[in-house]
Amino acid sequence: MNGTPHLRSAYPETPQSSPNSGAHNASLLGIHVGAMPLATQGNDPNAPIIPFDVVDAPSQRLYIAAFYVGLTAWRLYDYSGLVSDQTDSLWLFMKWVAIDGVFLYGLPGLKVPWLEWSSSTMTILFLLHAMLNGMLMFRIPIPLGAWIAGLTKVIYYRETAVSERRVKPANILHNSSLILGKQIIHILPEGSAMLNPDQIPFCIGISRTSVELPIRINQTIPTSIELLRIDLESNVNETITFTSKEVKKFKKLADREFNNNVMTSARVLKIPVKRTGLYRLQKVIDESKLEVQRRVSDTLVVKCPSASIKAVPRDKCRGELSDFYLQADATPPLKIKYSKTINRDDLGFTFLSVHPDNLVSPLAQQKTSEALVTLQDTDVSWARTRHIEVSLNETLGISGDWQYSIDEIHDACGNVANYARAEEESQQGPTRGSHLEQVFRVHERPKAALHGCDSQHPLKVAKGQSRRLPLRLSSTGNRRIENSPHTISYTFTPQDELSSSGEPTGRTRTEVYILQDSHNGPEIHEPGLYMLKTVTSGFCTGEILEPASCLLWNPPEPDLTVRAENIPDKCAGNSIGLMVDLDLIGTPPFQVRYNIQRRGGRIISKVEKVDRLRGQLELRPSEAGHYTYEFLDVSDSVYDRLSLKHKNLVLEQDVKPPPSAQFVDPRPKRMACIEEPLTFPVHLSGEAPWTLEYELVHGGTRKKQTIQNIESERYTISTGKLVNGGEYTLALTSMTDRSGCKAFLEQEAIIEVRRQRPKASFGRIEGRRRTQTLEGKKVNLPVRFTGESPWTVHYRRHEDSDSRTNVKTFKYANDVLELSTAGIYELVDVHDASCPGSVDESATTFEVLWIHRPSLRVAESGMIERVGNKYTKKDICEGDEDAVDVSLTGTPPYNIKYEQHWKPERGPASLSEKRITAGLSTASIRMETSQAGLYEYKFLELGDALYDHDRWKFSPLIVQQTVNARPSARFTDAGKTYSYCKEDEAGDEVIPVTLSGLPPFHLEIGIKHHTTAKPEIVNVPHIESSQYYFHIPHRVLALGTHAVIIRKVRDARGCQQKTEFDGPHVQVNVADIPGISPLETKTDYCVGDRITYTLSGTPPFNVFYTFEGIDRKATASTTTFRRIAEKPGNFTIFALSDKASTDTCKARTDITKQIHPMPSVRISKGRTAEVDIHEGGEAEILFEFGGTPPFEFTYTRSTNAQKGRKSQVLETKSEVSHEHSKTVRASDEGTYEVVAIRDRYCAFSAQGAQGEKGGQKLLTYT
C-alpha cells in the first residue's frame, strides 16, 4: 500500500492500484465497486511542471544546481572581462539583476520539492544577489579573506593544552557531562479503566476460535468487571460478569508481563471471548467497592474476512472479457487486494473498495466518539458479515497465460486476511489455493486466406486429378497457431452453375474440413468456384481474409497431329531426311517424346519442346539406312505424358546422306613453330570408300593433295615441315563416296607459323653488363626476350662448384632477373610459350659486385694503449674534460652506437646506450667524467650511408678509462649547531670531519662571525686518515653565532674540490641564559583556565615542564608562553632555553601551578528518572557531587515537557552540601534539574560557559 495511513475512524481509505494495473469496470446489483487508480499529476494543481516519472525530484534539483553553477561561472566571466576591458558596469549590473530575478522568482513555479520557497525568502535571496552583483560589477572590494579567516577561527579555533595537544576551548568550557540527570515527578490521577485502548481489530474464524479483549486499568485494583455484549445477528444485548476470582487471574497474568512492582501502575487485563458481537465495558468495581471511572469505548468482534474467486472456464480468446467474480464474506465496507500476472510478468496489484448500497455504517464515517451505538439504538446489523460478489470484466488483449490472485481482504474493522504473506511464510493462517486464483489461457484468433489462386487466376488441374486447396493460415499474433487443429468451412459452386461473370447462379454446397496442420488444405477435384466462409481453431473463431475464393478449371487434354515431307539430296536425288509439321492442342508449352531407330540399331529417345500450338521438326540422320520414327506421348503445362500410341503416329524412311568431311578440331586458327609439321584429324561421313581432296595455300602458292580409298571415318592430314614463316591455309576442297557423287567442301584451317625463333640476352645497367650493389641486397639484372610470353630461361653462376643450372619463368619481353649473391651469371638457353629459342652470344653474361662495408678503429697515441680489441686510456680526475678519437672508413655519414658501462667503487653498476652520427672520417667521443669509477665504452654497432649495422659483419671494440673521485670533506654532523654558555668558554672545542679520497689530505676551513664580513682561514695540511677532529681555536670564538665552513680539500692524486659558497658547514653559538616569570601570582587554577608566563631571551624558546608525572617540552615563538588547563594535575616548569642557548644553556627554575577539576553533580545516577506519586505524596531527589567540598548548587523545577509546548521554569532553589551527596524531598509535580554547581575552587553553570570574566572563579570558605 502506497497511500498515507488512515485512522480506523476514517476508514475506508481511497484504494490505490499499482502503476501497471489497468482500470477495471465492476458492477453488481446493490453494490458500488470502485477500482480507484492513483490520481494523475495532470489533475493535481501542486504537481511539478516536469512529471517525476520523466525526471525524478533529486535529478531535477541536480540539474537546477548545475544551471545555477553555470550562471555563477558566467557571472564571474563577465566580472573578469570588466576588470580587463573596462566594460560598462551599469549595463552588466542591470543584466545580472534581471537574470537573477527571472531565475529566483521562476524557480518556485517548477514546483520541485525542497525548492518551493516562500515569496519572502525569494525576495531576501534576490536582494542578496543584487548586492553581490553591485559589488562585482562596480568593483567594490569584498573582504573575503577577513571573512574566511574569521569563520575559520570560529569553527576551527584550537589552543595548546598543558598536555601539548591542540584542543577546542569550547569543548572544555562547555562540558555537558559535569551536570547529568534529571528527575520528573508526576502526580497520578484517580483510577481508570478502558476497553481496547489501542483500538485493535478482532475477529473469529476457522483458525481462531477465541480472542482476548484488552482492558487497561490505571491506579486501581479491580475486583469485578462487567461487559455488555450486543449480538450482531439478533441485536439482543447481554451482560457478561467476571467474578473476583477470574479478575485476580487476569491481574496475575498482567503482572507477569509488566516488570513494575507498584501494584497500582497501569496494567492490561486480557479478557477471553468466543462469540462475535459488539462489546462495551459496562462496570468496573475496585477493592474499595467503588466504581472505577471508565471511558466509553466499543469493540467489535466479527467473523474473520475471507475471499474466493468464482471459477469460470479458463480458455479464452484474444479480445474477449475476463467476466468472472470475486466473492467476499466480511463486514462491509471492505477492500479486496488482488494481483495480476500476464505471461509471468507481474503487473502489480489493485485495490477494490466495496460499499453496498443503502449501507449506513459508523465504521465508514469520521467520528470523534469511540462509541459505535447508543443505549437507545442498539441496531448493529451494519456489522454483520455479508456475502458479496464483485464482477471483474477486463479485455484480454494479450495472448498467453493470465492469472488473477487474491492477496488480501480488509473488512471495515481493520481485520486483514493476507493470503500472499501466509503463503510466503508458510505460517498458520489463511493460505492461497486454487479458490483464490483464476487462470486464463488466452488464445490467438486464427486468420485464413488463399494464395496463388483467385477468380481471375484459376487453379488448373488435370481431369480426374485433385489438388489441395492453397490455404494460408495465420493468427492475430502474426504467427501460426501451433498444436491446435483448425476447422474451415467453404462453399462449392459447380462450373456449370456459374454466370458469365463468374458469380454463382444456382445451387451451392457447404463443406467442413478439419486441418491437422497449417500446410495441408482439403483435397478438391471438381471444377467450380470454392469460397472460404469460416475458420476456427480449437478455442476461437477466426477471420477470413482476401483472397477467399478460388476457381478450379479442367483444361482440355493435349493432342498431336503430324504431317511429313521428304528432304531430297541435290546430287543423287535420294532422300536424306524428313521435315515433320506438328499440330498441337492443349495448354502450352508442350513436350513431344519420340523414338528414332535405325534398322539393326538401337532405339534413341528424344524430346521436342514446342512453345506454341504449331511446330516443325527436322529429322536428318548422319548415316545411311532405314529409319523408323514413332511419336510416343505428349505433355503440356497441366497434363503429363498422355500416350499417343492409340493414334499410331509412326514414320519410316530410307536415308542415304551425301558425303561430307570436317575437321575434328574446331579451332579456326592454330600456331606452329618454324620448321615443325602439324597434323589435322578429319571426320568423314557418307558411304565408304571415300576420295578426299585438299590443298595447302601459302604466299600465293597452292599445293593440292588427293587421298583415295579411305575406308575409316577418321583420317589424319599431315602438313610436313613448315619452313617458311607466315600464314598457311589448309582447305578441304571436295569428297567423293562409293556412288561417285562428288560433294564440294568448305572446311578451312588457318596455320600461323612463327617467322623466327625466340631469343634471350642480358641488358645493360648504365651502359655496362656489370654492377655494384650493397652486400646481401637483391639486385635486378635486366633481361631481354623476343618471342611469345612466357619465357623459360636456364642460367648458371660461374662461381658455383657444380654445373647445375637454375630455371626461371619470365612474363615480359623486358624483364629482370632478381639475384642476391655476387658473381658472374650466364644465360644457358631459352624457351617461349610454344617454341625453343637461343641466347645472344654477345650478351650471355653479367657480373655483380658488392660495395665494401664501413669499419672503425681507435687512433693510438701516448695517452692510450691497445691490447687486442680493448683500449685503455690514462686515468683522469672526476669532472675534468676528456675525449677519444675514432677513425672511420666507408660512405659518410656514419651511425655509431656504443654502450657506456660505469662501475663505481661502491654501489651497483649502470649501463647507458648512446648513438652518434659522424659526417667525416674522424669522430671525437666525449668521455664521461661526471662521476668516479671505471668506465668502459663498447662500440656495438656501425653503419654508414649505404649499410645498416650487421652484427655478423662487425666486431665490437672496447675503450676503458678510470675516473678518480674528487676528494670530499664534510662535517660528521653537518648543519649541527654547537652551543656553548658564556661562562663555559675555557678550552678549545672539537668538531669531527669525515674525508674521502687517497690520503694524505690538505684541508682549508673558514670560520665567520655573524657580525663580520671576512672569515678567519685555518689551513690543516698532511691529514693521514679519513677521520679528523677539528679543534676550534678559542681565539676565533666570540659571543654570538659563528659559521664554520670547509672551503677546499685536496688528496694525494692531485684532485681537489672547492666548496666556497654552498659547502658543508656547522654553527657555533655562544649565548647567555634566558629567564621566565608567571603573569599571575596565584597557584590554584581550574580546568579551562589559561596559565600565562612572560619569557626573556631570544625567541624561539624551549620550555621544559612536568605534568601528570611526565616531563614535557614545549616551544614558544614569542616572549609569552600560555597553555589552557585541559585536565587537573600538577603543572611545574623546571627549565627554559632560547634560540641562542638551546638546550645546552638551560635556565633552571621551579614554578608550580595546581590545576583543580571542575565540580560535577548527578541526579538519579546521571539518568532521567520518572516518579509517579499521588496527590500529597513525596519523592526523594538524590544529588551526588564530584570535586572538593563544600558544594553549593542551584536547581530548578519546571513544567513537565509536553508535545508542542516549551517547558517553563516554575521555581529556582540553592542548596549547600559539605558531603559528596545530598537528598532533597519534593512533593510538587515537575522536572527537577541542576543548573549550576560550585565547589571550594571552581564553579560551573549549565546556562552558559564560565570564562575568566564570568563565573569560573576560585571560592574561599571560612
Side-chain angles (χ1 to χ4, degrees), residues 171-467:
N171 292 342
I172 300 174
L173 299 176
H174 299 272
N175 189 357
S176 59
S177 64
L178 297 177
I179 300 178
L180 296 177
K182 59 182 176 180
Q183 184 158 320
I184 302 173
I185 298 178
H186 297 282
I187 296 179
L188 299 177
E190 295 296 330
S192 62
M194 183 179 181
L195 176 64
N196 195 11
D198 297 326
Q199 295 298 306
I200 301 173
F202 295 98
C203 70
I204 295 176
I206 297 176
S207 60
R208 184 186 301 168
T209 59
S210 65
V211 296
E212 293 181 338
L213 301 181
I215 299 177
R216 186 174 66 190
I217 58 174
N218 189 23
Q219 296 296 320
T220 185
I221 299 178
T223 59
S224 176
I225 298 176
E226 291 183 2
L227 289 179
L228 174 66
R229 173 183 173 273
I230 302 176
D231 189 83
L232 300 181
E233 302 298 330
S234 62
N235 292 333
V236 175
N237 56 26
E238 63 173 329
T239 300
I240 303 174
T241 304
F242 295 94
T243 63
S244 176
K245 183 177 180 181
E246 292 174 321
V247 172
K248 287 182 179 179
K249 181 179 178 183
F250 300 151
K251 181 69 165 51
K252 185 176 181 181
L253 293 176
D255 291 339
R256 293 178 182 175
E257 299 178 2
F258 196 75
N259 56 8
N260 196 336
N261 295 325
V262 181
M263 300 305 295
T264 57
S265 299
R267 296 288 191 276
V268 176
L269 307 182
K270 295 182 179 179
I271 310 300
V273 296
K274 296 183 178 181
R275 292 182 294 170
T276 62
L278 186 145
Y279 290 86
R280 176 181 293 175
L281 187 60
Q282 182 166 289
K283 183 185 293 186
V284 177
I285 305 298
D286 64 3
E287 291 178 329
S288 60
K289 305 301 182 181
L290 296 177
E291 187 173 348
V292 178
Q293 180 183 0
R294 67 189 185 281
R295 183 178 176 182
V296 177
S297 175
D298 291 342
T299 297
L300 274 174
V301 179
V302 298
K303 289 185 178 179
C304 292
S306 63
S308 62
I309 293 179
K310 190 176 181 180
V312 296
R314 61 177 290 168
D315 290 307
K316 294 281 187 177
C317 295
R318 182 174 176 178
E320 291 184 347
L321 298 177
S322 56
D323 192 19
F324 68 98
Y325 290 90
L326 303 180
Q327 297 177 328
D329 293 289
T331 301
L334 53 90
K335 289 193 300 183
I336 302 176
K337 175 186 174 183
Y338 70 92
S339 58
K340 179 172 63 175
T341 302
I342 300 179
N343 294 326
R344 297 185 180 181
D345 186 10
D346 189 2
L347 300 185
F349 57 84
T350 302
F351 275 103
L352 291 179
S353 291
V354 182
H355 193 294
D357 289 341
N358 301 323
L359 173 66
V360 179
S361 174
L363 299 177
Q365 301 173 4
Q366 187 73 24
K367 298 178 61 177
T368 57
S369 173
E370 295 181 351
L372 299 177
V373 297
T374 62
L375 295 178
Q376 293 76 20
D377 182 10
T378 59
D379 182 13
V380 291
S381 58
W382 46 266
R384 296 172 186 168
T385 298
R386 299 194 183 189
H387 179 76
I388 300 173
E389 292 187 353
V390 182
S391 174
L392 280 185
N393 271 329
E394 183 179 32
T395 301
L396 305 175
I398 301 175
S399 62
D401 295 325
W402 290 54
Q403 178 176 325
Y404 293 85
S405 303
I406 296 179
D407 297 330
E408 297 176 3
I409 179 172
H410 302 241
D411 65 4
C413 301
N415 297 297
V416 179
N418 192 325
Y419 301 102
R421 184 175 62 187
E423 182 179 24
E424 293 173 0
E425 299 178 356
S426 299
Q427 64 183 12
Q428 184 177 3
T431 58
R432 182 159 58 186
S434 59
H435 66 288
L436 295 172
E437 295 179 349
Q438 175 63 53
V439 178
F440 291 114
R441 178 66 177 175
V442 180
H443 304 274
E444 297 284 357
R445 293 182 180 273
K447 293 182 180 180
L450 300 175
H451 68 96
C453 178
D454 54 29
S455 58
Q456 301 301 322
H457 301 85
L459 187 65
K460 298 177 182 180
V461 180
K463 293 180 181 178
Q465 296 184 3
S466 63
R467 290 278 295 277

Side-chain angles (χ1 to χ4, degrees), residues 6 23 51 148 246 248 250 272 274 278 285 381 423 476 550 657 725 751 827 995 1002 1006 1061 1094 1125 1127 1252:
H6 287 250
I148 294 174
E246 292 174 321
K248 287 182 179 179
F250 300 151
K274 296 183 178 181
L278 186 145
I285 305 298
S381 58
E423 182 179 24
T476 53
C550 179
I751 305 171
L827 300 178
L995 301 102
H1002 182 276
F1061 302 102
T1094 300
K1127 311 177 181 179
E1252 294 181 358

Side-chain angles (χ1 to χ4, degrees), residues 294 343 402 610 692 699 844 1019 1038 1071 1082 1098 1146 1153 1176 1219:
R294 67 189 185 281
N343 294 326
W402 290 54
V610 182
L692 178 64
T844 59
N1019 288 297
K1082 65 180 182 178
T1098 304
K1146 294 181 181 178
K1153 304 293 183 182
E1219 304 294 336

